[in-house]
Amino acid sequence: MKNLTENPAKQREFTPREEAVGFLLWDARRALFREFSQKFAQHGVSNGVFPVLRILWDDDELTQSEIARRGLMTGPTIVGIVAQLEAQKLVTRIPCPDDSRKRKIKLTEEGLRLKAIVLPIAEDVHQKALNGITDQEAELLKRLLRRIRANFIGNREDNS
């Protein structure tokens, strides 16, 4: 008969931390976010608002739900971020021509100006992250990360 006081975790082998994909992704993400945070903070951009700005820089004048879908964010999260961007005068809400109940989020001149400042910083951090990695390895890494993401969110396309 099995001793019920035994710790079941002791009976099982676990992947060492430095071999665990989840830990490595978490730790790499943390390092990237720390770098982004330090660089972006000088320009009043936080890690939380950057993805929304990035989406709008690619395709301005989207509804909050369109931004949320593209950024894989929840509605309440997007509401808070848009409010923050609006308070910083980086975006404004404009009437949606198709539906008077909806508003589109549009970059202001300041929001557009920030693109020329922040995207080069993001590119520098991107290059730092890939330092010592060949182009082929970088492509493989991106393909594998997309596959891992798909394992958890499905195969839906996002434009983030």
Side-chain angles (χ1 to χ4, degrees):
M1 185 169 195
K2 188 175 179 176
N3 182 349
L4 296 177
T5 59
E6 278 185 40
N7 182 349
K10 287 184 179 180
Q11 299 171 11
R12 182 174 169 203
E13 254 187 67
F14 292 97
T15 305
R17 185 178 53 130
E18 281 296 317
E19 296 298 319
V21 171
F23 174 78
L24 292 171
L25 285 171
W26 172 81
D27 206 34
R29 178 189 177 277
R30 202 170 56 113
L32 273 168
F33 267 46
R34 185 173 37 248
E35 186 80 10
F36 276 128
S37 183
Q38 291 169 354
K39 306 275 187 193
F40 289 169
Q42 301 167 23
H43 305 285
V45 176
S46 69
N47 286 336
V49 303
F50 176 72
V52 172
L53 285 171
R54 185 69 172 98
I55 290 166
L56 289 169
W57 288 331
D58 286 345
D59 194 6
D60 198 7
E61 295 189 29
L62 299 170
T63 64
Q64 287 184 174
S65 61
E66 289 169 324
I67 296 168
R69 184 181 50 77
R70 291 180 188 197
L72 302 174
M73 300 175 198
T74 64
T77 299
I78 254 330
V79 167
I81 292 172
V82 168
Q84 183 179 348
L85 289 171
E86 201 171 27
Q88 290 179 276
K89 301 197 182 321
L90 298 176
V91 301
T92 187
R93 297 169 201 254
I94 60 171
C96 184
D98 311 355
D99 186 342
S100 62
R101 297 168 298 167
K102 292 183 181 179
R103 299 278 180 258
K104 291 203 175 217
I105 310 305
K106 179 176 176 45
L107 290 162
T108 62
E109 286 298 319
E110 180 63 18
L112 289 167
R113 186 188 70 74
L114 203 55
K115 177 182 181 179
I117 296 168
V118 173
L119 283 185
I121 294 169
E123 188 60 28
D124 289 346
V125 173
H126 172 82
Q127 291 304 318
K128 183 176 182 178
L130 296 176
N131 188 29
I133 296 174
T134 68
D135 290 346
Q136 294 82 5
E137 289 170 331
E139 287 307 312
L140 176 61
L141 174 62
K142 289 185 274 185
R143 193 168 63 247
L144 293 172
L145 289 171
R146 286 183 192 109
R147 194 177 306 160
I148 289 170
R149 178 178 62 191
N151 288 340
F152 293 96
I153 63 167
N155 292 319
R156 67 182 168 192
E157 236 355 86
D158 74 68
N159 297 316
S160 58

